[in-house]
Amino acid sequence: GWLTLGELSTDEAVDLLDRYRPIETVEDRAAAYEIIGKLGGFTLAIELIAAGFAAHPSATYAGIAEGLGLDDLAASMDMFR
């Protein structure tokens, strides 16, 4: 059978992330919303980020949000044109 990938509401996604890495500051909350937006709320993607927080205690919301940018990928693809 096919694997169905659902979407979390923004509140559900924030709750999931907060369970693995408490959202303690306004900056954390803003970065968490940025992460959720970049991942489209897809459950599996949010769960992978949450697991990453559990595995990497030094990871930050801001660092993850910045690392999810596609700008660097687009820039690096320009060399193939």
Side-chain angles (χ1 to χ4, degrees):
W2 291 94
L3 175 65
T4 303
L5 300 177
E7 291 182 31
L8 296 171
S9 71
T10 300
D11 289 341
E12 291 170 326
V14 168
D15 288 345
L16 176 61
L17 290 174
D18 188 56
R19 272 185 261 150
Y20 284 86
R21 176 66 45 82
I23 296 172
E24 298 177 339
T25 66
V26 172
E27 292 81 9
D28 283 350
R29 183 161 299 280
Y33 279 101
E34 184 178 347
I35 291 166
I36 293 162
K38 286 181 177 181
L39 297 177
F42 290 109
T43 305
L44 182 58
I46 302 296
E47 288 177 346
L48 287 172
I49 295 298
F53 278 132
H56 302 282
S58 64
T60 65
Y61 280 101
I64 297 294
E66 184 178 322
L68 289 175
L70 297 178
D71 294 337
D72 294 332
L73 177 61
S76 64
M77 293 303 291
D78 284 341
M79 76 172 98
F80 294 109
R81 293 177 196 210

